[in-house]
Amino acid sequence: MSDAFTVLWTHDTCRALSKTGRVGERPPVAFSGVHSSLPAWSGARVGDEVYALHVNRCVVFVVSRMRVIDRERRDCCGTTPETWQDPAFPGHGDWSMLGAGGCGAAAVHVDATPVRFDTPIPGDLLAGLTWRNRRGQTRGLKYVVDNRLERSASLQGFYRLTPESSDKLAKVVGNALRTVA
């Protein structure tokens, strides 16, 4: 059975996606890292889903749902850098803002929904989302006040959703996709 995770994309990442014209496009890759500046996708396996989230003015948006295809370096990634000055993934330069230059970055190839910034998670749903750790303990979001996220600290990182919360986010994304079609 596959799992689902969330990852928070920062304002800088989302601004770069918009500025470079990636809105409406499907990212073929995301990046995992070994440093806290780039979330480690260590728990994700092939077939798992990852919901890229963004917080803007206390509202949480689903930017893209990505299904992990593989976590290997492929030909599409480009040549392996020979020096620290060389780009790490020249074949994915269009998506480098997703972390290609991060410390110890590794490519995670994905099948994703188009990048968009107009799919909010309803506030009543937001307050009920839960995540579980490897020991099976669950937690909700901190700092949800009046169905708005006052601080994004509890979203920063790469976290496994409970199956119930995964189903709820899948419905949010499914409804948004239907309204576009």
Side-chain angles (χ1 to χ4, degrees), residues 15-151:
R15 193 174 303 115
L17 286 165
S18 292
K19 188 176 180 179
T20 58
R22 300 291 159 242
V23 176
E25 294 184 17
R26 296 171 183 266
V29 67
F31 297 93
S32 173
V34 297
H35 186 265
S36 61
S37 63
L38 189 60
W41 291 40
S42 56
R45 298 179 317 256
V46 171
D48 287 346
E49 292 188 340
V50 179
Y51 292 89
L53 306 178
H54 177 62
V55 180
N56 190 9
R57 296 190 174 116
C58 300
V59 177
V60 181
F61 295 86
V62 178
V63 180
S64 182
R65 178 182 62 202
M66 301 170 282
R67 183 167 289 117
V68 177
I69 296 172
D70 70 43
R71 300 187 54 176
E72 305 297 321
R73 186 177 188 101
R74 297 179 176 176
D75 290 342
C76 63
C77 295
T79 58
T80 304
E82 293 183 24
T83 71
W84 65 271
Q85 296 168 321
D86 297 334
F89 297 93
H92 294 301
D94 290 348
W95 297 96
S96 63
M97 75 286 293
L98 298 181
C103 183
V108 180
H109 293 94
V110 296
D111 178 23
T113 60
V115 169
R116 53 190 297 174
F117 297 105
D118 62 350
T119 307
I121 297 174
D124 58 332
L125 174 60
L126 185 65
L129 288 178
T130 53
W131 290 260
R132 66 178 163 83
N133 64 20
R134 289 185 176 140
R135 292 171 294 206
Q137 299 168 319
T138 61
R139 69 163 180 91
L141 277 177
K142 295 179 183 177
Y143 313 115
V144 176
V145 178
D146 297 328
N147 292 330
R148 296 170 54 86
L149 186 64
E150 297 293 323
R151 295 165 75 196

